[in-house]
Structure formats: structure tokens, C-alpha cells
Amino acid sequence: MTENAPYLEDATGQRFPLAGQVVVLGRSRNCDVFIPDQRASRRHAEIRWDGETTTLCDLGSANGTFLNGRRITTPQTLHDGDEIAIASATFTFHDPEATLRVAEFPLLVVDETTGELWVNRHLISLSPKEQALFDLLYRNADRVCSKQEIAEAVWPEYQAAVYDYQIESLVKRLREKLEPDPRQPVLLVTVRGRGYKLVRSAPTNR
């Protein structure tokens, strides 16, 4: 294995190097990564590494190639820790050269087409009220939203005032789903005396 080249690792710990080549995965024994499962196509998927970027591509398989739980339909760039599933086989992509995120800042992704929310490549399911709060904060990312704004957006059906404890309870529940450590939030932060804001990216040191 070329030093510091990316590689796949299967559930048994076996490694498949990706250095300087196109790696084909499938049911054919001529494939670089053999998958002994009838649900896998003979030439199911391929992975290319150009020295910097690693790309996963489905080869028109019958049962699909899945990246982090989602079936892919177009070539996808791989990132360290990504999980690939083909039939019963699962692989983890490792990139030794991957740059660690500042303070392990969580990766937040919103699929604008489907509305799906992902944190660190895990699909997050929200209740209607949690979704309303997230949508407000996401539309106003990096801007403080006051409790009044939150009350009007999340509880439009209420004619009377919304109590602080209702907002604080909802923020707490949303943090428990978004934050790796809800006790030390970095995505949904409190701005004392003003409200809450959603932070899209890790702060940079100047």
C-alpha cells in the first residue's frame, strides 16, 4: 500500500488500497474487490483516486450502491469515514491525509431538494416543531433570532404569548439531535439576552 494513500476497509478489517488505480467492486472474481453476494452486479461500482480526490461511481447496478445510507445516482466524492454498502458488503473509506476539522466541528448538510438534514453524515429526524425552529435558524444562519421571532415562527397558532420555558425546551431537544455534545453546543448557540443562532462553520483563528 502506498504510504498515505486512501483505502477501503471491510467489516473484517481487510484493507483495499486505492493508490493510483481504478478499483472495481462486484461479484465477478475479476474485480479488484470481490463481493460474493448474488445481489451484487458482476461489475457493481468503481472508485477512482487521482492523487487528491477519491470518487465513487455506480456502474448501472441492479440493486444500487449506497453511500452513508443513501443510494447514489451520480459520482460522489468520498470523505474520510464515509460508509459504502453494496448488497451485504460494507466498507469504510479512510483517507490518512484528511485534515481534521477545527475542534471536531460537526458537518451540517441540508439537502435542498429533499429537505433532509444530515449531521456528520447521519440522517436526522425532527418533529414538526423542531423542524420549524431549525428552518428559521437555517434561513437566518449566523444571525441571532430572538425569542419573539422563534415564537411567531414555531407557534403561529398561539394567540397568547409563548412562554420562555417552551422555547428553551424546544432548543434543548433540537440540540440533543444536532450536537455531538449537547452540553457544549457549537451549532445551536445561545447569545445571552438576545436569543439563539445557528452557526454554519467553525470559527477561524486570527
Side-chain angles (χ1 to χ4, degrees):
M1 184 182 299
T2 302
E3 185 178 0
N4 291 333
Y7 61 91
L8 295 182
E9 185 174 11
D10 68 12
T12 69
Q14 183 177 358
R15 295 185 177 187
F16 303 90
L18 305 175
Q21 58 183 311
V22 176
V23 173
V24 178
L25 304 86
R27 184 162 48 87
S28 170
R29 290 190 176 275
N30 293 325
C31 289
D32 303 292
V33 180
F34 173 54
I35 301 175
D37 188 318
Q38 289 296 317
R39 292 171 295 171
S41 298
R42 291 184 180 278
R43 289 173 57 86
H44 196 105
E46 70 177 23
I47 297 177
R48 294 176 177 267
W49 183 59
D50 63 8
E52 292 185 3
T53 302
T54 309
T55 306
L56 171 67
C57 181
D58 183 80
L59 297 177
S61 67
N63 294 312
T65 300
F66 294 80
L67 177 62
N68 298 320
R70 303 175 69 191
R71 184 169 183 167
I72 65 171
T73 56
T74 58
Q76 300 291 312
T77 300
L78 294 177
H79 304 279
D80 186 58
D82 278 348
E83 294 182 353
I84 300 166
I86 295 175
S88 59
T90 58
F91 305 90
T92 302
F93 172 72
H94 294 282
D95 181 2
E97 291 292 321
T99 302
L100 294 178
R101 296 184 177 276
V102 177
E104 297 299 321
F105 194 84
L107 175 64
L108 172 67
V109 175
V110 175
D111 189 321
E112 302 290 352
T113 302
T114 64
E116 291 178 335
L117 167 62
W118 300 75
V119 176
N120 288 342
R121 305 185 184 95
H122 294 288
L123 180 63
I124 306 299
S125 177
L126 301 179
S127 70
K129 293 299 185 188
E130 292 165 352
Q131 187 71 57
L133 173 58
F134 177 81
D135 290 344
L136 172 69
L137 295 171
Y138 185 76
R139 288 195 305 270
N140 296 277
D142 297 314
R143 182 182 77 80
V144 179
C145 292
S146 68
K147 288 185 176 181
Q148 182 62 35
E149 287 180 89
I150 293 172
E152 292 173 355
V154 178
W155 289 275
E157 71 277 14
Y158 278 23
Q159 299 299 317
V162 176
Y163 295 104
D164 282 358
Y165 81 84
Q166 292 174 279
I167 296 173
E168 293 162 2
S169 177
L170 183 61
V171 168
K172 180 176 182 291
R173 295 200 302 272
L174 185 57
R175 277 179 175 152
E176 288 172 348
K177 293 186 176 181
L178 297 183
E179 302 281 2
D181 184 356
R183 296 167 300 178
Q184 299 181 9
V186 294
L187 281 173
L188 203 176
V189 300
T190 301
V191 180
R192 193 170 299 279
R194 295 179 58 197
Y196 304 93
K197 71 176 180 178
L198 183 72
V199 179
R200 291 295 306 276
S201 59
T204 55
N205 294 324
R206 295 183 182 276

